[in-house]
Amino acid sequence: MAVFTPVLDAEAKAFLKAWPISEVIEFTPIAEGVQNTNYRVRTRDSAYVLTLFEGREEQAGLPYCLGLMQHLGAAGFATPSPVADLDGRLQGELKGRPAALVEWAAGAWKRRPSEVDVRLAGATLADLHLKSRGFGQTRDNPVGPRRWRELADRSAERAQGADAAMLDQIERLMPELEKLFDPQLLPQGAIHADYFPDNVLFDGDRIGGVIDFYFGCTGALAYDLAVALSAWGFDAEGRADETALSAFRAGYESVRPLSAREASLLPLLGQASVVRFTLTRLHDRLFHDPAHFVTPKDPAPFWKRMEWWQSPVSA
């Protein structure tokens, strides 16, 4: 259950009076998600998501993320736009936390996407990269190498056995992978940084909306592609699905072809994506708060992706 901060109907309705929406007739918690508190808001004539932002890093990055969504929506990209309140603000405060109201996106994410679906998802990520051009704000990657070091050091306090061995391997890789985040190395822009299947909603044979931009930041476009390949191109056990990997990359490059340097560094960028998500999952499991009704994800299947990214076939 992705509700860390309970909100009563009366509290939500009082808060939403500051927004230009019709009468609220339904206010329901949303079970999916692991970072923030989400509620579905249905009015007489529309639907929205009300999100309360729990983490300090996400709260600090909120103007960037909401601004990026607004920019992309205005550019015609398939993403739900944040709704400004009656004073023109994109965020307010509810239960002591920053909160935002975002349009409800049509469709649902696919647990078993077809090859055609995966190719379309790749093309859509490239479209995001192109349509984010001109967005004037910047944000450092909130889960970049600086955060890796913090997560690794804290995880080392509790890691034992297989977890400790995995952490030792990550420690050996980090110095080389950190160099990939030099902004002069690769083409930069606004990136999603969490482009997983559950953040891409399909409405029939089209994409109804890309959601959850709250890890969005300024970074290498090819790193965003590597994250997405790690998300879409492997099964639940971390085994590579060559068809999905090829389809996603082909879809992406049908819209935005990679430069020679981007292509040559993609295997290392993939390794960086594995380190990033393995560390966050390891840390979350080691320091899980049982008061939060969210099951921590096992880092081992994500770590298994490293074998493919380090193999010659990934080049």
Side-chain angles (χ1 to χ4, degrees):
M1 187 75 167
V3 174
F4 304 99
T5 302
V7 179
L8 300 176
D9 284 20
E11 293 172 324
K13 289 178 179 178
F15 173 78
L16 291 169
K17 285 181 179 179
W19 265 259
I21 61 176
S22 58
E23 180 186 0
V24 175
I25 60 176
E26 183 182 324
F27 183 66
T28 310
I30 298 174
E32 294 184 346
V34 296
Q35 295 293 133
N36 300 307
T37 295
N38 296 289
Y39 288 89
R40 184 176 191 267
V41 177
R42 190 163 66 88
T43 68
R44 290 195 311 271
D45 51 20
S46 196
Y48 307 89
V49 174
L50 174 63
T51 299
L52 281 68
F53 297 88
E54 303 289 347
R56 286 178 296 174
E57 192 73 54
E58 287 181 301
Q59 293 174 10
L62 197 50
Y64 176 93
C65 300
L66 294 175
L68 176 58
M69 293 168 70
Q70 188 178 55
H71 173 90
L72 288 169
F77 182 74
T79 189
S81 294
V83 181
D85 69 9
L86 294 170
D87 293 321
R89 298 171 299 193
L90 294 180
Q91 66 182 86
E93 183 175 299
L94 178 60
K95 302 294 286 281
R97 288 159 173 74
L101 189 69
V102 176
E103 297 170 345
W104 184 266
W109 73 278
K110 293 191 175 184
R111 288 166 172 77
R112 295 181 179 274
S114 68
E115 183 177 347
V116 171
D117 295 332
V118 173
R119 184 182 176 92
L120 176 58
T124 301
L125 179 62
D127 187 43
L128 185 162
H129 290 162
L130 296 183
K131 286 181 175 167
S132 66
R133 290 174 178 174
F135 179 58
Q137 298 185 49
T138 60
R139 181 194 187 194
D140 289 340
N141 190 333
V143 201
R146 175 183 58 81
R147 183 62 176 152
W148 295 357
R149 171 48 52 203
E150 295 171 359
L151 292 168
D153 288 347
R154 190 154 188 256
S155 296
E157 299 171 9
R158 295 188 179 181
Q160 298 179 358
D163 288 344
M166 185 164 54
L167 200 53
D168 286 344
Q169 294 178 68
I170 289 173
E171 288 279 5
R172 289 194 290 271
L173 289 169
M174 280 200 294
E176 184 67 22
L177 297 179
E178 288 172 355
K179 298 175 184 177
L180 298 168
F181 291 82
D182 179 348
Q184 304 303 314
L185 183 64
L186 294 166
Q188 305 281 302
I191 64 174
H192 188 282
D194 194 29
Y195 195 83
F196 277 62
D198 58 350
N199 287 329
V200 180
L201 309 182
F202 285 81
D203 185 19
D205 60 358
R206 70 181 186 91
I207 288 178
V210 176
I211 62 171
D212 202 352
F213 279 80
Y214 303 117
F215 286 110
C217 58
T218 308
L221 304 182
Y223 172 69
D224 210 18
L225 171 60
V227 168
L229 287 169
S230 286
W232 291 79
F234 297 81
D235 67 14
E237 303 303 318
R239 295 177 294 240
D241 180 338
E242 298 289 351
T243 299
L245 286 160
S246 296
F248 195 101
R249 181 169 175 179
Y252 184 92
E253 293 206 70
S254 72
V255 176
R256 180 187 170 270
L258 297 179
S259 69
R261 176 176 284 184
E262 287 177 311
S264 68
L265 290 177
L266 193 59
L268 283 174
L269 292 165
Q271 293 177 43
S273 76
V274 173
V275 166
R276 178 263 190 259
F277 285 95
T278 299
L279 279 173
T280 51
R281 293 179 182 198
L282 176 61
H283 177 273
D284 288 351
R285 181 161 60 75
L286 291 173
F287 292 90
H288 175 58
D289 183 349
H292 293 162
F293 300 110
V294 175
T295 302
K297 295 179 180 177
D298 182 1
F302 215 93
W303 177 246
K304 184 173 175 57
R305 290 159 165 78
M306 186 64 74
E307 298 174 9
W308 188 85
W309 283 113
Q310 290 180 332
S311 68
V313 72
S314 70

